[in-house]
Amino acid sequence: MCGRFSLVTDPNQLVLRFELDDMPFVWQTRYNIAPGQLIPAIIEDRGKRRIGHLRWGLIPTWAQDQKIGGKMINARAETLHEKPAFRRLLERKRCIIPADGFYEWKQTGRSKQPMRIMMKSGEPFAFAGLYDTWTSPDGEKVHTCIIITTSPNAVAATIHERMPVILRREDEQIWLNREMYDLKLLQSLMVPYEAEQMKAYAVPVSVGSPKNDGPECIQAITDPV
């Protein structure tokens, strides 16, 4: 599962890293992004990458009630192609979601210790995601997304049984190409990221509340594990 993540990277660096023409909105540094919030996401439109806001928590086009979005924050890579809610999106509505760390909670005795997992380099990376547009009864269009998860690598496995799909940089363009649908190829991308390039460290328990969204959320309280 992926239920929280961070994006504290400078917007100018994000523009360069993700090959964007510009940043069309003012991006606020976020230390503790939670489901239900608007998050930056990138799609490809007529050969160009565009970044915009999507609400985290998928509301499928056919949904009767937008409350379903609160339950659909993650989708399992292994069964995407089997479920009608995701199969159509996997074919044509793939996105990438920039991040520079994500949080999972490690069981330690009777309590759980929040851990931040990130690249050793500190560089931003891309979650594999799907998106859709839902129209409310009064005609409002709501654009939402979901983060895909897979089995954990060696770093994440010590903390949780799942981790988000992090795309290799060279695979991001394949994922974004809406004119291409090769199920076997896409499945080959939705695998655990190389553990050798990642690290994890303990952070304050205050990250457990989405109301807390300051620098203290990413402050190490122990040495990286």
Side-chain angles (χ1 to χ4, degrees), residues 123-179:
E123 295 179 353
F125 48 83
F127 294 140
L130 304 174
Y131 69 97
D132 208 352
T133 299
W134 178 77
T135 304
S136 69
D138 61 5
E140 178 189 6
K141 291 187 180 298
V142 183
H143 308 288
T144 63
C145 65
I146 195 167
I147 294 174
I148 300 170
T149 66
T150 186
S151 55
N153 61 21
V155 173
T158 64
I159 303 168
H160 199 272
E161 62 182 9
R162 303 290 293 176
M163 71 177 291
V165 171
I166 298 173
L167 296 168
R168 296 186 305 169
R169 187 167 183 170
E170 59 266 33
D171 294 333
E172 291 171 8
Q173 191 56 43
I174 298 173
W175 185 260
L176 288 175
N177 185 356
R178 295 192 292 176
E179 301 305 315

Side-chain angles (χ1 to χ4, degrees), residues 204-225:
V205 295
S206 59
V207 78
S209 171
K211 294 180 180 179
N212 300 317
D213 190 19
E216 69 280 358
C217 292
I218 63 171
Q219 182 66 44
I221 59 173
T222 61
D223 293 332
V225 297

Side-chain angles (χ1 to χ4, degrees), residues 35-215:
Q37 298 176 353
L38 292 177
I39 63 175
I42 297 168
I43 65 170
E44 185 178 88
D45 181 23
R46 287 168 287 187
K48 288 190 174 184
R49 293 185 178 188
R50 291 198 300 112
I51 187 169
H53 284 120
L54 298 175
R55 183 189 297 176
W56 184 11
L58 188 74
I59 308 174
T61 300
W62 45 260
Q64 298 297 312
D65 191 323
Q66 64 177 317
K67 291 181 180 179
I68 192 174
K71 301 177 181 179
M72 299 181 71
I73 64 170
N74 292 154
R76 296 176 68 92
E78 299 87 343
T79 56
L80 278 179
H81 64 289
E82 300 173 358
K83 298 186 176 182
F86 303 134
R87 187 170 56 239
R88 176 181 58 86
L89 304 183
L90 184 61
E91 293 176 0
R92 294 278 296 170
K93 292 193 173 183
R94 302 185 297 270
C95 64
I96 59 176
I97 298 164
D100 48 31
F102 64 95
Y103 302 101
E104 292 293 0
W105 276 255
K106 183 176 183 179
Q107 190 72 45
T108 56
R110 296 183 178 180
S111 62
K112 289 186 177 182
Q113 172 62 55
M115 308 288 292
R116 184 174 184 239
I117 306 171
M118 60 181 293
M119 297 298 167
K120 289 179 179 178
S121 65
E123 295 179 353
F125 48 83
F127 294 140
L130 304 174
Y131 69 97
D132 208 352
T133 299
W134 178 77
T135 304
S136 69
D138 61 5
E140 178 189 6
K141 291 187 180 298
V142 183
H143 308 288
T144 63
C145 65
I146 195 167
I147 294 174
I148 300 170
T149 66
T150 186
S151 55
N153 61 21
V155 173
T158 64
I159 303 168
H160 199 272
E161 62 182 9
R162 303 290 293 176
M163 71 177 291
V165 171
I166 298 173
L167 296 168
R168 296 186 305 169
R169 187 167 183 170
E170 59 266 33
D171 294 333
E172 291 171 8
Q173 191 56 43
I174 298 173
W175 185 260
L176 288 175
N177 185 356
R178 295 192 292 176
E179 301 305 315
M180 185 281 301
Y181 177 68
D182 181 328
L183 180 58
K184 288 186 178 180
L185 177 57
L186 294 175
Q187 287 178 323
S188 74
L189 308 184
M190 295 185 287
V191 294
Y193 198 82
E194 296 176 31
E196 295 77 13
Q197 297 187 40
M198 304 189 75
K199 68 178 182 180
Y201 64 93
V203 293
V205 295
S206 59
V207 78
S209 171
K211 294 180 180 179
N212 300 317
D213 190 19

